[in-house]
Amino acid sequence: MAAIYSLFIINKSGGLIYYKDYGSAGRMDTNDSLRLASLWHSMHAISQQLSPTTGCNGIDLLRADTFDLHCFQSLTGTKFFVICEPSAPYMELLLKVIYELYTDYVLKNPFYEMEMPIRCELFDLNLSQVVQKDRVALLAR
Amino acid sequence: MQFFSGSAPPGRGAGGPGNNAHMHMLYIFNRAGVCLLYREWNRPLRTLDPQQDHKLMFGLLFSLRSFTAKIDPTTAEKGNLGVPLLPGQGCSFYSFKTNTYQLNFMETPSGIKLILLTHSRTGDQKESLKYIYNLYVEYVVKNPLYVPGTPIQCDLFTKNLDQYVRTLI
């Protein structure tokens, strides 16, 4: 039982910079994940246009039959979204924690180029620790 | 009379007289993307002219359905992204939420799409959408003067719809 199925991080232009799969049924190749990421980026933007009132910041939560999608957009336009089980709790918190890891291990890494795919070992390490901890906590409940 | 279960889902209390702060808009589209009905109760901001707005909404839903069918983590065999999906094929979303509104979506097997935009903190609207679809069947489909595929102009339908939406606040 996974806490989350997958994690995507998109840069401000809509390009995929990080993708991690934690247990989806089907295998998704790189091209598909890239396409889905840019598709999400566009739909996030379109949803802001269709808002009946001002001040819309895009989709936070998408609910489907078999999964939920939680999205967090930072002030700089970087989007973090997770695919998880329907009604999984504390996903917003998880996204904020992942954002913190991103700022600590990716942005503060002097060799990391902005908007490029993330290839930081420490980020991967800490991320898997956080997700694993989340999974254990979920099983324990 | 009813296709789906029983009576109208209970409204959230009496509410103010005609105060539709919670219900923003309703769209009904058919399979081809023709906007059969657009009903607005509370919309302070309009960014595009009506035609563009309808096209944008339909396009968003079409793409979102392809997206959810493809990103679904529970099925192994998924089609290619961009292939038009039949109603009911693949995992479909039923709602999304932003900080200012919530969009509730329902697609019937005949391809009729109902979209209800509500206030951000409203609960699940599946029953409301089913009831609205019921109203559509009773007052529009069963109307012998209605031509399928054209915009709806049935007074009884809009009257009952407004009445029902007023009870949802």
Side-chain angles (χ1 to χ4, degrees):
Chain A
M1 185 167 73
I4 61 176
Y5 288 112
S6 50
L7 165 73
F8 290 73
I9 306 182
I10 318 181
N11 65 16
K12 62 162 97 67
S13 355
L16 182 67
I17 57 175
Y18 192 79
Y19 166 61
K20 195 75 200 283
D21 182 57
Y22 295 101
S24 310
R27 284 218 49 231
M28 191 154 52
D29 60 7
T30 343
N31 285 332
D32 280 334
S33 53
L34 283 164
R35 282 188 211 117
L36 285 170
S38 17
L39 193 54
W40 178 254
H41 175 84
S42 325
M43 291 187 299
H44 193 92
I46 293 176
S47 67
Q48 288 179 279
Q49 271 221 307
L50 288 167
S51 170
T53 50
T54 51
C56 184
N57 293 328
I59 304 178
D60 291 328
L61 166 64
L62 177 90
R63 281 183 292 205
D65 303 328
T66 52
F67 68 92
D68 277 0
L69 187 154
H70 292 257
C71 181
F72 168 68
Q73 184 175 348
S74 71
L75 291 167
T76 53
T78 313
K79 285 183 263 299
F80 300 77
F81 67 93
V82 285
I83 310 292
C84 58
E85 288 172 344
S87 330
Y90 310 123
M91 281 300 134
E92 284 90 39
L93 210 62
L94 179 67
L95 281 169
K96 296 263 167 67
V97 169
I98 294 175
Y99 180 53
E100 250 191 77
L101 290 179
Y102 169 77
T103 56
D104 282 338
Y105 296 108
V106 178
L107 295 180
K108 292 178 187 174
N109 182 336
F111 300 110
Y112 173 69
E113 286 177 60
M114 281 308 299
E115 316 298 322
M116 288 287 117
I118 295 171
R119 302 232 190 284
C120 310
E121 253 183 67
L122 278 177
F123 178 68
D124 288 324
L125 199 66
N126 282 275
L127 183 64
S128 20
Q129 274 178 2
V130 163
V131 172
Q132 188 58 34
K133 202 168 58 147
D134 200 48
R135 200 174 303 184
V136 167
L138 195 73
L139 284 167
R141 254 176 245 134
Chain B
M1 157 158 175
Q2 314 282 357
F3 275 151
F4 301 106
S5 60
S7 45
R12 281 127 190 75
N19 174 25
N20 273 315
H22 285 250
M23 295 289 148
H24 292 294
M25 298 107 79
L26 173 76
Y27 296 77
I28 302 183
F29 291 100
N30 74 351
R31 278 184 97 123
V34 176
C35 183
L36 304 178
L37 183 82
Y38 168 67
R39 204 84 187 128
E40 175 180 296
W41 297 287
N42 177 22
R43 187 174 191 178
L45 174 71
R46 270 170 217 86
T47 46
L48 303 159
D49 74 85
Q51 292 304 329
Q52 300 296 339
D53 189 60
H54 299 332
K55 281 191 212 158
L56 195 63
M57 178 57 82
F58 188 78
L60 176 69
L61 295 169
F62 184 87
S63 313
L64 265 178
R65 278 210 62 217
S66 298
F67 178 82
T68 48
K70 187 70 189 189
I71 212 170
D72 181 15
T74 58
T75 42
E77 262 316 305
K78 298 164 226 174
N80 289 319
L81 200 58
V83 171
L85 295 162
L86 297 169
Q89 188 184 15
C91 175
S92 179
F93 78 103
Y94 58 85
S95 156
F96 76 68
K97 191 152 71 92
T98 71
N99 58 321
T100 53
Y101 70 99
Q102 184 178 327
L103 184 143
N104 303 283
F105 174 72
M106 180 176 108
E107 184 169 22
T108 68
S110 54
I112 301 292
K113 304 190 210 317
L114 292 114
I115 299 104
L116 184 64
L117 274 82
T118 66
H119 184 261
S120 183
R121 262 181 269 274
T122 351
D124 191 38
Q125 296 292 324
K126 279 188 192 157
E127 293 304 316
S128 316
L129 284 169
K130 282 186 190 168
Y131 189 76
I132 293 173
Y133 179 62
N134 233 9
L135 287 179
Y136 165 79
V137 167
E138 291 305 315
Y139 293 110
V140 178
V141 178
K142 292 185 182 177
N143 182 342
L145 299 173
Y146 172 68
V147 179
T150 60
I152 297 169
Q153 273 148 357
C154 309
D155 282 338
L156 267 181
F157 175 63
T158 42
K159 200 165 65 121
N160 277 277
L161 180 65
D162 288 342
Q163 220 168 23
Y164 173 64
V165 164
R166 230 172 284 135
T167 67
L168 285 177
I169 302 151

